């Protein structure tokens, strides 16, 4: 009875819709633009202007001009780093989906204390610095770290394994950092699925796996696509974790751009690297969205 009294009545919902619609009609287009103008100015001066200057320096420099892009596309080192960046980003996206979907499903199904505990386990890492989490992986994976020491004490290995400064270490560390960005959109999509659909399917003879494959998974694809896009795009720009956990053997584009800008002070070439990474990212994201739009469940994404 107490829980039902807290639920909004239809009359309250009608009043809320009336207030929202009337307030939306009261704001003129000019006033709406004035309200968002401070945010747009902040975005323009803190993001668009610096990025535009960096990209322009790689194109409109009279000394070198387009030769930077020719150098980038002709030397195998830079193409290999670009390929490694997208390869690691794609693997991190898949690993985040495989590990995050069950957690999101558990968050949507559990209630009470257990739901709070699972949600806290997902949200608390977001409050921890990426630098701290990267150093924690170094403690775990180094030659005298926790994992190597445990393996040697158990007798599974005769000596320390090369766990740190590998692509596997980078993938594990990045997946752990980006996992909440996959879990939360999927959880939001799962929460919108009516429970009556699953019960009706079971009453018609469908099993648990059939309900998941035919109802739960298709209806949760908008959240999956949103989480996949966020984890993939964020992984392409990772700087701290690959630099600390991967080292020079697993150089990625963000680290390479940082070296060109801060160590070699070659800002135009750093702009060329950024432009190529941005163009390739936009192309892949567009293809990804087009492919997902073929599915009716995510046609509105």
């Amino acid at each position: 009875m107490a829980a039902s009294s807290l639920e909004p009545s239809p009359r309250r919902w009608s009043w809320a819709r009336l207030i929202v619609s009337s307030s939306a009609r009261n704001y003129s287009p000019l006033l709406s633009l004035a309200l968002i103008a401070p945010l747009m100015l902040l975005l323009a001066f803190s993001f668009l202007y610096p990025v535009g200057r960096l990209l322009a320096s790689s194109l409109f420099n009279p000394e070198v001009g387009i030769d930077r892009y020719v150098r980038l596309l002709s030397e195998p080192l830079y193409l290999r780093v670009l390929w490694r960046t997208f390869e690691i980003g794609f693997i991190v996206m898949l690993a985040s989906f495989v590990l995050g979907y069950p957690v999101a499903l558990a968050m949507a199904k559990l209630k009470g204390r257990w739901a709070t505990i699972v949600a806290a386990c997902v949200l608390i890492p977001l409050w921890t610095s990426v630098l701290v989490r990267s150093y924690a992986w170094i403690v775990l994976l180094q030659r005298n770290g926790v994992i190597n020491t445990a393996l040697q004490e158990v007798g599974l290995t005769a000596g320390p394994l090369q766990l740190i400064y590998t692509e596997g270490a980078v993938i594990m560390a990045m997946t752990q950092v980006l996992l909440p960005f996959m879990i939360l959109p999927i959880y939001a999509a799962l929460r919108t699925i009516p429970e009556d659909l699953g019960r009706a399917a079971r009453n018609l003879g469908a099993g648990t796996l059939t309900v998941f494959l035919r109802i739960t998974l298709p209806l949760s694809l908008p959240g999956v696509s949103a989480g996949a896009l966020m984890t993939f795009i964020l992984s392409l720009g990772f700087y701290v974790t690959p630099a600390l956990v991967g080292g020079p053997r697993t150089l990625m584009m963000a680290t390479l751009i940082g070296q060109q800008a801060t160590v070699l002070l070659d800002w135009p070439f750093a702009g060329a690297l950024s432009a190529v990474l941005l163009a390739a990212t936009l192309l892949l994201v567009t293809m990804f969205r087009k492919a997902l739009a073929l599915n009716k469940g995510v046609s509105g994404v």
Side-chain angles (χ1 to χ4, degrees), residues 240-301:
V240 175
T241 301
L244 294 178
V245 180
R249 294 183 180 180
T250 55
L251 188 65
M252 296 181 64
M253 285 296 290
T255 309
L256 181 61
I257 293 170
Q259 290 178 357
Q260 295 292 328
T262 59
V263 179
L264 301 178
L265 301 179
D266 192 353
W267 284 86
F269 189 64
L273 293 171
S274 303
V276 172
L277 178 62
L278 179 61
T281 303
L282 292 176
L283 177 62
L284 287 179
V285 169
T286 303
M287 295 171 58
F288 181 71
R289 290 172 64 91
K290 292 293 185 181
L292 287 176
L294 298 177
N295 189 298
K296 294 181 180 180
V298 291
S299 58
V301 178

Side-chain angles (χ1 to χ4, degrees), residues 176-237:
Q176 189 266 336
V177 173
L178 294 176
L179 200 56
F181 295 97
M182 177 67 77
I183 294 174
L184 295 177
I186 298 177
Y187 166 73
L190 290 173
R191 290 283 294 177
T192 62
I193 301 176
E195 297 181 358
D196 295 339
L197 296 179
R199 286 195 291 264
R202 293 187 182 90
N203 291 334
L204 294 174
T208 303
L209 182 60
T210 304
V211 172
F212 174 77
L213 295 177
R214 300 293 298 273
I215 297 176
T216 306
L217 183 60
L219 293 179
S220 64
L221 283 182
V224 173
S225 63
L229 281 176
M230 280 197 294
T231 53
F232 181 72
I233 294 175
L234 289 174
S235 64
L236 296 181

Side-chain angles (χ1 to χ4, degrees), residues 3 8 31 45 50 75 87 107 112 129 141 146 150 159 162 168 193 248 253 268:
L31 181 57
F45 283 102
E75 294 190 14
E87 180 184 19
M107 289 176 60
S129 172
L141 300 176
V146 176
Q162 182 64 35
I193 301 176
M253 285 296 290

Side-chain angles (χ1 to χ4, degrees), residues 86-149:
F86 282 99
E87 180 184 19
I88 291 178
F90 185 74
I91 295 175
V92 169
M93 180 186 69
L94 288 181
S96 300
F97 169 72
V98 172
L99 297 175
Y101 197 98
V103 178
L105 189 61
M107 289 176 60
K109 298 295 183 182
L110 293 176
K111 299 182 183 299
R113 181 180 302 177
W114 286 108
T116 304
I117 293 175
V118 175
C121 293
V122 173
L123 294 176
I124 286 177
L126 290 176
W127 305 335
T128 308
S129 172
V130 177
L131 185 63
V132 173
R133 283 183 279 179
S134 300
Y135 275 114
W137 279 104
I138 295 177
V139 173
L140 290 174
L141 300 176
Q142 62 185 345
R143 293 180 62 85
N144 297 324
V146 176
I147 296 178
N148 270 319
T149 302

Side-chain angles (χ1 to χ4, degrees), residues 8-52:
S9 62
R11 180 176 299 178
R12 293 178 183 176
W13 278 117
S14 62
W15 275 105
R17 293 192 189 97
L18 180 61
I19 293 173
V20 171
S21 60
S22 61
S23 61
R25 287 193 298 268
N26 290 334
Y27 288 113
S28 63
L30 184 61
L31 181 57
S32 301
L33 289 176
L35 291 174
I36 66 173
L39 178 60
M40 299 303 295
L41 290 175
L42 178 63
L43 179 64
F45 283 102
S46 63
F47 177 73
L48 297 179
Y49 176 73
V51 173

